[in-house]
Amino acid sequence: MRNKIIFNGQSIVLTWLISYAVILLLPVAVGLLLYVESSRTLKEEIQQANDSLLKQVREVMDNQFKAMEQLNFEITWNVNIQELLYSNKYETFPKDLPYDVYQIAKSLSLYKTSYPLIDSFYIYLNKDQTVILPTTARSVPFAYQTLHMSDDFPFSSWQSIMTRNNFKGFIPMYRIGDDNVLRKTVAYVSTYPVEHDQPLATNVIMVDQTRILGAIQNTELFNQGHVLILNDQNQVLASSSSSTMPADFPYKDLDKTSNFYFKSSDGAEYEVFNIQSPRSKLKYISIVPSQIYWQKASHVRNLTYLSMMISLLGGGILTIFFLRRNYNPVRRLVHAFSKKQVLESGKTYNEFHFIQQAVDSTLIEMADFKSKMEQHRHILRSHFVEKLLRGKLDGKIPIAEALTTFDMKLDRKEFAVMLFVIDKSEAFFERITHTSEADKRKLLQFIVSNVVEELVAQRHRGYAAEIDDTLACLVNMTMADNESSKEELIRIADEAQTFLSTTYDIHLTIAISSSYMHIGSAPQAFLEALDAMTYKLVMGDNEILAYNDLHTYTHYDNSSGYYYPMQVEQQLLNALKFGELMEARQLLSEIIQKNFEGAGISVSLTKCLMLGIVTTIMKSINDTGGIQESFFIRNPKQLDRLLNSKTVQEMELLLGDMFAQICAFTSAKRLHANSLTKQKALQQLVEQVNTYIEHNYTDVNLNVTMIGNHFDRKATYLSKLFKDYVGEGLLDRINKVRIEKSKQLLKGNEQTVGDAAYGVGFNDINAFIRVFKKVEGITPGKYKEMLEK
């Protein structure tokens, strides 16, 4: 059987051999492609490299030529030179000309210091036939002999250049250096405006060719080829070679393309690269022999041949080695599985297909076995949870051992029970077709059970079991110090309700027990959850019923209604109107406590109480400016959330939030620009002062000083605060209160004016009469007469 598997036509040995051969031939094919493309690709790369190097040369030389142009600009616009050329001064003072020429020569020496890269420069004065050099001036013939005299550059050529009209540009020249050696130089010649068909003067600025070539001799182009700089007339300004340009060199092609191939008449082949300076209009040309140009391409070609040979030889050896090595584990696996799986005789096999079939068969058997075991384990665990919650466990078996058996971990601190009753499932059943009712019910219980266990498992541990018509979940959780176990259970219940209703159209009523610190209290928690679930008839469907909230008033109802007397409502109304949030919340806490302490009130009365408080809120909003409609339009879901409150605590929290919004609004409405703290304190102070005056107006010693001492404030400051808030002084308020009280006394027939004065704190009847007339406009006697009439 082993030989049949290894050597048949479908064996992986043949597949691997073909794969290795393809991999081996891949670098060979790449090498051939590289050989084909190397010439074109390398040519482009070398052209780009040479173009980049040529741009580098241009940048270096443009800076050099820019300095020459800059020096020409400064000389041209020199004030003394302008005066020399264009002033009529010397017609009047001809003797000043030699002196001014001397001064210009001295000033040129400063330019020589400022431009150290410039080898020589001078000004050719055509009218005076004088050449001005730094520090000196010479006649034209003498200047030619000392600066340019050579057979290659005769005097006539120099004269023609100096007298050329409207010329500005670079030209090649010869210059005699300080060591009397004739040198090739690049000259920047710039003529002044023409007068009598000849320029007034000409500036000549020279840089030796050796200096130019020295600046670029380190570049790769300088070492590999022939570098030239041409002016716009194709004259060679500088050249890295002493040889002249080929006579048949196609200068016209320089303006057409940046690089081209050129073969001279003597058979020499060259690669030509050129770029032009956009500023100086000079051409930078590199002429590289083709032999040097293609030297790298030849190297790559030879390297390609060598790599192909190494790839074929080394790849063949490695193919045989890895083929034998990799097949041994596959052969052992085939032998191992062939003992359990019978092979059909006369049929060819691929080793991997055989192993895959054998593994698939084994995995299917294991999955089927695991599925059955999981079903049995789930059923047994469900029965265990049911017995645990009902308190019917076998006392002989420790709980810890039973938990280990059913793979349950109850290692958290708190225990609670959640009950789930399915209210509406018709929509869910309608979505499932071709299934029996019993199977639909099982699927429904399976979905609810898994959703609940997954939600609990996000932070805690939970194990669900079907008990009668409900689904019970034992929850084992650990809560932080600032967290409430009841709120956490309510959160889980709310998420379960929301998810199941939106996803599967399954609607639940959920009951939650109290939390206990020991697993032995699980039966008690289960009974609490059952008790809370009985309150489903009162609360309605789709509710979350917490035992701690519902057990105190499950079977009770206050015959006297609920606690919300008129005076408490008025206090709450005033607190909301004046923005007293703390007072409003204290009153709310008092109302909640009075209604739900002890047996508590029923759900119906709770909703009535809640509607009564909402009515008070609307009254407070109306009294502050009729903004009831706009407030509830801006907060459309406030009232819905309040009416749909699931617990008293939630109701109290929502009411507290509404109080905060209303108090903030009413405070801003009432106090406007003033701050809440200052206005509240000032209002309290004014009320206290008024109360104090009402209680002490009969005291003859009552005055501003006495009130200030009583409230521990300076009398003048207290009077100012009072007047700023009320609009009248403190003494005026005392007098008004006393006059009002005296008017009540004067109504009695038995009271005289003196009795009324002494009765309201005046010890001087004249002072009383004066104050009464100031306040009422008439004397107290006339007032009493009016009353009697």
Side-chain angles (χ1 to χ4, degrees), residues 734-765:
I734 296 173
N735 289 334
K736 279 188 177 182
V737 171
R738 283 176 170 175
I739 296 304
E740 287 296 325
K741 299 296 182 180
S742 69
K743 288 165 65 177
Q744 296 176 10
L745 293 176
L746 290 173
K747 290 179 181 180
N749 294 328
E750 69 279 0
Q751 296 289 339
T752 65
V753 173
D755 294 336
Y758 297 135
V760 295
F762 285 96
N763 57 4
D764 185 359
I765 190 171

Side-chain angles (χ1 to χ4, degrees), residues 637-646 650 654 661:
K637 295 190 178 180
Q638 288 269 26
L639 199 56
D640 291 341
R641 286 198 293 267
L642 183 61
L643 295 175
N644 294 327
S645 300
K646 297 180 176 61
E650 184 180 353
L654 290 173
Q661 297 179 42

Side-chain angles (χ1 to χ4, degrees), residues 630-767:
S630 63
F631 176 82
F632 283 106
I633 287 177
R634 292 197 313 269
N635 305 272
K637 295 190 178 180
Q638 288 269 26
L639 199 56
D640 291 341
R641 286 198 293 267
L642 183 61
L643 295 175
N644 294 327
S645 300
K646 297 180 176 61
T647 65
V648 175
Q649 288 78 5
E650 184 180 353
M651 180 187 72
E652 183 178 5
L653 180 62
L654 290 173
L655 284 172
D657 292 340
M658 292 180 68
F659 285 1
Q661 297 179 42
I662 294 168
C663 286
F665 184 86
T666 55
S667 296
K669 181 77 175 179
R670 180 178 177 82
L671 302 178
H672 298 288
N674 297 329
S675 66
L676 180 62
T677 304
K678 178 180 178 181
Q679 285 298 94
K680 181 180 177 182
L682 189 56
Q683 179 187 0
Q684 291 177 348
L685 179 62
V686 170
E687 290 176 355
Q688 291 172 1
V689 170
N690 284 330
T691 303
Y692 184 78
I693 293 173
E694 291 284 343
H695 290 167
N696 298 277
Y697 70 91
T698 58
D699 190 345
V700 296
N701 295 318
L702 179 64
N703 54 26
V704 177
T705 303
M706 178 179 174
I707 296 174
N709 292 335
H710 176 77
F711 288 99
D712 196 21
R713 295 176 183 269
K714 288 184 178 181
T716 54
Y717 178 67
L718 181 61
S719 179
K720 183 179 184 302
L721 288 178
F722 191 89
K723 186 173 183 179
D724 290 342
Y725 186 80
V726 179
E728 63 181 0
L730 193 54
L731 183 59
D732 292 337
R733 174 52 63 94
I734 296 173
N735 289 334
K736 279 188 177 182
V737 171
R738 283 176 170 175
I739 296 304
E740 287 296 325
K741 299 296 182 180
S742 69
K743 288 165 65 177
Q744 296 176 10
L745 293 176
L746 290 173
K747 290 179 181 180
N749 294 328
E750 69 279 0
Q751 296 289 339
T752 65
V753 173
D755 294 336
Y758 297 135
V760 295
F762 285 96
N763 57 4
D764 185 359
I765 190 171
N766 292 325

Side-chain angles (χ1 to χ4, degrees), residues 221-238:
L221 283 174
F222 189 90
N223 298 324
Q224 289 187 352
H226 186 191
V227 180
L228 303 99
I229 302 174
L230 306 182
N231 61 12
D232 54 354
Q233 298 175 359
N234 294 325
Q235 292 178 312
V236 178
L237 300 179

